[in-house]
Amino acid sequence: MFHIANPNRFRKQAEQIQPWAAGVALATLVGGLFLGLFASPPDYQQGESVRIMYVHVPAAWMALGVYTLIAVASGLFLVWKYPLADVIARSAAPIGAAFTFVTLVTGALWGKPTWGTWWVWDARLTSVLVLFFLYLGYLALQNAFEDGPRGAKAAAVLALIGFVNVPIIKWSVEWWHTLHQPASVLRLGGPSIHPSMLLPLLLMATGFAAYFVALLFIRIRSALLLRKIRALRLVRAGAGTHSEEHPHPNP
Amino acid sequence: MKRFLLLLRRELKLGLRHANDSLSAVFFFLLAALLFPFGVGPEAALLARIAAGVIWVTALLAAMLSFERLFQTDYDDGSLDLLAVAPVPLEAVVLAKSIAHWLTTGFPLLVASPVLALLLQLPPQAIGTLMLAMLIGTPTLSCLGAIGAALVLGARRGGVLLSLLLLPLLVPVLIFGVAAVEAGAAGLDATPRLAALGGFLVLAGGFSPWVSAVALRQALE
């Protein structure tokens, strides 16, 4: 995987993959939404409101997955100092925060008819709320420094510390038997939900993941381009005074 | 070891010389907690019910006021650069600073908490558990606070940012701290909750000097 650590090569690869990711996202989201909203049966207990699941669950998976990606990228950035890892982490963070927000909002919408309340201080809900604040803290810390690289490193450290919350969220429903139901798809012994619901759910999950990849690549490309523009500007600003010392400034 | 003690002495001296800062954290703790009887009404049963949570939350907020100074003053006047090149590991500097921070702010909070417990009608049998929980929990705050303070060094509006970064991480301490006190108030055995707090302290105490030192090196680069 290290040969794509070069930003330019990565950008070229990203340019090729991105339309594919967008296409997969469009196809699976359309298919998943059709199956989920029209072709799948209502739940015997929850009725029609179970259809919120097709958005809620993939969003929750993505919220955790993106944070994990950020933590891994931050680790790579801190240890091996790949500049690209930092760009990936930064570009992923707002998308992950948005997925977390969608999870919380759809969870509240689901909770009202199912549990009779918008919000309970259940272990799973609370830990996801904490995840949302971790995302916000990460984003705020990145942008809090005049000196860009300093913000990147501080935020990377924070992302690694905050990662302790991810396993807590994953297993919170097993450790504390509170209102939120336990895992029914990603569990030992296979999924416990009926194929007619599992198929649209998995389609939606694929769609969310592909959408994330497409969006991430757009953000990474624009971040790399912005970086290039800034470097070119610096070169131009310095050209008048230091042109002999740095004939080929390498950003 | 001798150098470590010297460092600790320096930090304590500095902390005592700025005793006003510690006192203001304690006063904030008392005042903020005493606003609750005005806010929710002076009914004794209600106050007894929320006392543990109020004390812990206000202690957390009071600690938040003091974290920013942990490295900021040394960073501003350049002593932090000197400490970084001194013949002691930066991790030891962080540890000394955290211990001194706890002795000058966490410990006064601990001492002030029985007063609040009485004023907030916490059942008397829970006061021992409260002090024990604070004794184990507040050093964890100092350790995590050191990480946060090192991360925001040189940031714009570091103080506000610090609370955004730290409060999510402090939630476990709050949960188990309050649970211990509530178990004490109900006459139950608080040991498992206190043991969990102890676990957090060991984790935070082990990782904090190391993580904070990484963050400090970045700030000094």
Side-chain angles (χ1 to χ4, degrees):
Chain A
M1 75 172 264
F2 296 119
H3 73 278
I4 56 164
N6 174 323
N8 273 327
R9 210 172 298 155
F10 183 88
R11 213 180 55 216
K12 275 180 200 126
Q13 296 253 337
E15 266 164 31
Q16 287 172 356
I17 299 173
Q18 191 223 318
W20 285 98
V24 170
L26 191 68
T28 48
L29 285 178
V30 168
L33 278 177
F34 172 76
L35 286 179
L37 296 185
F38 302 106
S40 75
D43 188 69
Y44 76 105
Q45 266 182 333
Q46 303 177 5
E48 299 290 345
S49 67
V50 75
R51 301 190 196 284
I52 297 170
M53 171 182 75
Y54 301 118
V55 176
H56 177 71
V57 173
W61 285 344
M62 291 310 294
L64 288 178
V66 174
Y67 196 90
T68 310
L69 175 76
I70 292 173
V72 171
S74 299
L76 287 175
F77 174 60
L78 283 179
V79 179
W80 287 288
K81 309 210 162 25
Y82 288 136
L84 185 64
D86 168 50
V87 177
I88 292 175
R90 268 167 196 258
S91 311
I95 318 178
F99 278 130
T100 316
F101 185 69
V102 169
T103 310
L104 288 167
V105 170
T106 52
L109 291 174
W110 198 356
K112 186 63 182 160
T114 321
W115 299 334
T117 172
W118 296 107
W119 181 264
V120 280
W121 290 96
D122 142 284
R124 171 65 63 89
L125 274 63
T126 313
S127 50
V128 173
L129 185 65
V130 169
L131 179 70
F132 185 56
F133 286 127
L134 284 173
Y135 270 119
L136 293 187
Y138 176 84
L139 286 168
L141 190 58
Q142 266 185 352
N143 299 319
F145 295 90
E146 308 286 346
D147 169 23
R150 165 91 180 97
K153 285 179 190 159
V157 173
L158 182 73
L160 284 177
I161 303 170
F163 187 70
V164 290
N165 192 37
V166 169
I168 294 180
I169 296 175
K170 173 73 186 77
W171 284 291
S172 57
V173 282
E174 271 110 63
W175 293 343
W176 297 277
H177 285 278
T178 40
L179 205 46
H180 198 283
Q181 66 264 49
S184 50
V185 180
L186 295 173
R187 60 177 209 136
L188 292 173
S192 64
I193 67 175
H194 193 267
S196 66
M197 289 179 175
L198 185 61
L199 179 66
L201 182 59
L202 292 181
L203 275 176
M204 289 298 284
T206 317
F208 270 57
Y211 172 71
F212 167 70
V213 170
L215 209 56
L216 179 68
F217 281 180
I218 295 177
R219 285 186 56 86
I220 291 175
R221 276 169 53 196
S222 59
L224 290 175
L225 286 174
L226 270 178
R227 195 177 264 204
K228 208 170 209 174
I229 291 171
R230 201 168 47 218
L232 288 174
R233 278 223 180 107
L234 285 176
V235 171
R236 218 167 123 193
T241 47
H242 301 289
S243 50
E244 300 89 5
E245 293 155 48
H246 299 290
H248 293 293
N250 195 3
Chain B
M1 194 62 205
K2 202 172 147 214
R3 287 182 179 135
F4 179 76
L5 289 178
L6 273 175
L7 266 175
L8 191 60
R9 214 159 89 212
R10 167 188 186 261
E11 293 303 325
L12 279 176
K13 258 190 193 156
L14 281 174
L16 292 179
R17 208 163 287 166
H18 297 276
N20 267 343
D21 293 341
S22 318
L23 278 180
S24 59
V26 175
F27 279 128
F28 176 84
F29 178 48
L30 293 170
L31 282 175
L34 290 182
L35 284 178
F36 279 83
F38 294 105
V40 301
E43 193 194 325
L46 176 65
L47 286 182
R49 174 72 198 80
I50 61 170
V54 168
I55 293 173
W56 265 105
V57 169
T58 42
L60 233 62
L61 296 179
M64 211 55 72
L65 292 178
S66 61
F67 289 142
E68 207 187 347
R69 287 194 335 264
L70 207 53
F71 302 112
Q72 192 69 50
T73 45
D74 277 353
Y75 180 70
D76 290 341
D77 67 11
S79 354
L80 201 60
D81 292 287
L82 291 178
L83 286 172
V85 295
V88 270
L90 202 50
E91 286 80 2
V93 176
V94 173
L95 192 63
K97 275 183 174 292
S98 309
I99 294 175
H101 175 265
W102 181 72
L103 287 173
T104 51
T105 51
F107 188 69
L109 292 183
L110 169 71
V111 173
S113 61
V115 183
L116 276 185
L118 288 176
L119 290 169
L120 292 174
Q121 316 285 345
L122 189 78
Q125 72 264 26
I127 292 182
T129 324
L130 172 68
M131 296 200 66
L132 208 54
M134 296 272 284
L135 181 66
I136 308 173
T138 46
T140 316
L141 304 187
S142 296
C143 290
L144 291 174
I147 301 180
L151 284 177
V152 301
L153 218 50
R156 278 171 276 142
R157 301 172 57 73
V160 184
L161 191 59
L162 196 55
S163 23
L164 179 62
L165 304 188
L166 282 179
L167 286 175
L169 298 174
L170 296 181
V171 166
V173 178
L174 177 65
I175 291 176
F176 284 91
V178 173
V181 181
E182 282 182 343
L188 301 170
D189 184 14
T191 323
R193 280 75 186 252
L194 292 175
L197 278 181
F200 294 144
L201 176 58
V202 171
L203 266 180
F207 278 108
S208 158
W210 184 62
V211 175
S212 312
V214 169
L216 283 181
R217 283 198 192 98
Q218 288 163 10
L220 293 175
E221 244 172 34

